[in-house]
Amino acid sequence: MQKIVAVKLRESGQNTYFIFQDLILKIGDWVIVEADRGLDYGQIDADPEDLSGHKHDESVKKIIRLADEVDLKKIEENRTKAKEAYHSCASKISEHKLDMKLVGAEYSFDRSKIIFYFTAEGRVDFRNLVKDLARVFKARIELRQIGVRDEAKLLGGFGPCGRELCCAKFLKDFEPVTIKMAKEQNLPLNPPKLSGLCGRLMCCLAYECQTYKELCKELPKEGEKIITPQGKGKVLSVNVLKKSVVVELEDARIIIIGYEDNKENK
């Protein structure tokens, strides 16, 4: 019986579904897979049992085998060669005076293809560059333009929180992030403090936003007039995570109350 599983191709590739049978796979395993031409490699990125009912068409390719020690050694050699290819490509870009920034390079498992990742402000005519690279490497050349968020995911690093970038660590897709999400979390609208290494709004603003929305349903809004055990007052500020509010009473006293204790008198 055929099953299907998500595989992250190479180090930078997207998650792609592959079918398999008679293999025991678990998250983190390296596998050799079918490619459009030849073979490629990737890492199991989800529990196969969770995806066994996933519908797929006839174009879905197969997992050939689990990567053995010989395969893993070749993958490591490919990474080394990819670094050399990166420097050669960077030199060629300079020769052709192209307005593009090279970000990374990867070999397919059988070295029949090299993928170069780059960023650019607009469209780039790199046809002559591809011809030059094909002559140098005697392989298929793919130049793939990516965005600044993809660049951060590819290069990795640490965010202002001190932890590894979410995009490089576990995020599979980029969700839309808006300044409204920051407002809903009562964050200071200071672009440098809200931006990640990519220069765009931090991804964590999106997946934390829903939690703040749920918590805020139980809390009064800033400026709202409420009744407290010590009398009527006006909400000056709200601490969503602590579920507390700062209130100015009618006699000008400032108090802090836990909203759980005030729920009945809102």
Side-chain angles (χ1 to χ4, degrees):
M1 176 179 169
Q2 289 184 334
K3 296 182 180 180
I4 192 164
V5 67
V7 176
K8 180 183 178 183
L9 290 176
R10 300 174 302 280
E11 282 72 36
S12 309
Q14 296 179 334
N15 279 21
T16 304
Y17 288 110
F18 289 87
I19 56 176
F20 70 97
Q21 58 186 14
D22 302 327
L23 289 174
I24 299 175
L25 303 174
K26 62 181 184 298
I27 296 174
D29 284 343
W30 288 94
V31 291
I32 308 303
V33 301
E34 287 182 336
D36 290 332
R37 301 178 188 174
L39 299 177
D40 216 332
Y41 68 95
Q43 195 169 24
I44 302 297
D45 200 44
D47 190 338
E49 282 70 24
D50 290 344
L51 298 170
S52 57
H54 183 88
K55 293 183 179 180
H56 60 279
D57 56 38
E58 297 301 321
S59 65
V60 176
K61 292 181 170 50
K62 299 177 182 178
I63 293 177
I64 303 299
R65 62 179 182 272
L66 274 165
D68 57 24
E69 290 186 7
V70 175
D71 294 328
L72 294 175
K73 183 178 180 181
K74 184 173 181 179
I75 290 171
E76 193 58 40
E77 290 174 351
N78 287 355
R79 290 171 182 156
T80 301
K81 286 184 173 293
K83 292 178 182 178
E84 297 171 359
Y86 173 92
H87 293 297
S88 296
C89 183
S91 177
K92 289 292 183 181
I93 289 173
S94 180
E95 286 179 21
H96 286 272
K97 296 181 172 59
L98 294 174
D99 188 14
M100 56 193 289
K101 176 186 175 185
L102 188 62
V103 176
E106 288 182 329
Y107 269 94
S108 63
F109 178 74
D110 56 10
R111 298 177 191 166
S112 63
K113 180 173 73 172
I114 313 175
I115 304 171
F116 294 101
Y117 299 92
F118 72 94
T119 59
E121 292 295 328
R123 294 177 63 87
V124 179
D125 184 358
F126 47 67
R127 288 173 293 182
N128 290 331
L129 172 64
V130 169
K131 292 177 183 177
D132 269 4
L133 294 173
R135 281 194 291 267
V136 171
F137 296 107
K138 303 295 189 290
R140 290 170 54 214
I141 303 297
E142 180 179 338
L143 282 167
R144 187 175 298 177
Q145 186 170 358
I146 61 175
V148 291
R149 296 174 79 186
D150 297 291
E151 179 183 5
K153 181 175 183 177
L154 182 64
L155 297 178
F158 294 87
C161 60
R163 305 187 67 175
E164 188 176 350
L165 295 180
C166 297
C167 58
K169 183 69 174 178
F170 64 87
L171 288 183
K172 294 180 174 61
D173 299 300
F174 289 116
E175 298 291 338
V177 185
T178 66
I179 198 67
K180 182 181 178 182
M181 294 175 177
K183 291 180 180 178
E184 290 174 337
Q185 296 173 56
N186 294 320
L187 294 172
L189 303 182
N190 185 338
K193 290 187 177 181
L194 296 176
S195 301
L197 296 186
C198 61
R200 303 293 173 84
L201 291 172
M202 291 186 290
C203 294
C204 58
L205 293 175
Y207 61 75
E208 291 176 354
C209 188
Q210 189 58 41
T211 299
Y212 273 83
K213 284 183 178 180
E214 293 298 322
L215 293 175
C216 284
K217 289 179 181 178
E218 304 175 5
L219 299 172
K221 297 180 180 179
E222 189 175 314
E224 185 176 342
K225 291 183 178 180
I226 62 173
I227 298 174
T228 78
Q230 300 182 50
K232 294 181 179 179
K234 179 181 178 182
V235 177
L236 298 181
S237 64
V238 180
N239 189 316
V240 177
L241 297 180
K242 291 184 177 180
K243 289 191 175 182
S244 66
V245 294
V246 177
V247 179
E248 181 182 17
L249 299 176
E250 290 181 330
D251 59 9
R253 284 184 296 150
I254 304 295
I255 62 171
I256 299 176
I257 60 173
Y259 190 66
E260 289 293 332
D261 298 331
N262 192 48
K263 195 179 281 187
E264 297 177 358
N265 299 318
K266 184 183 174 201

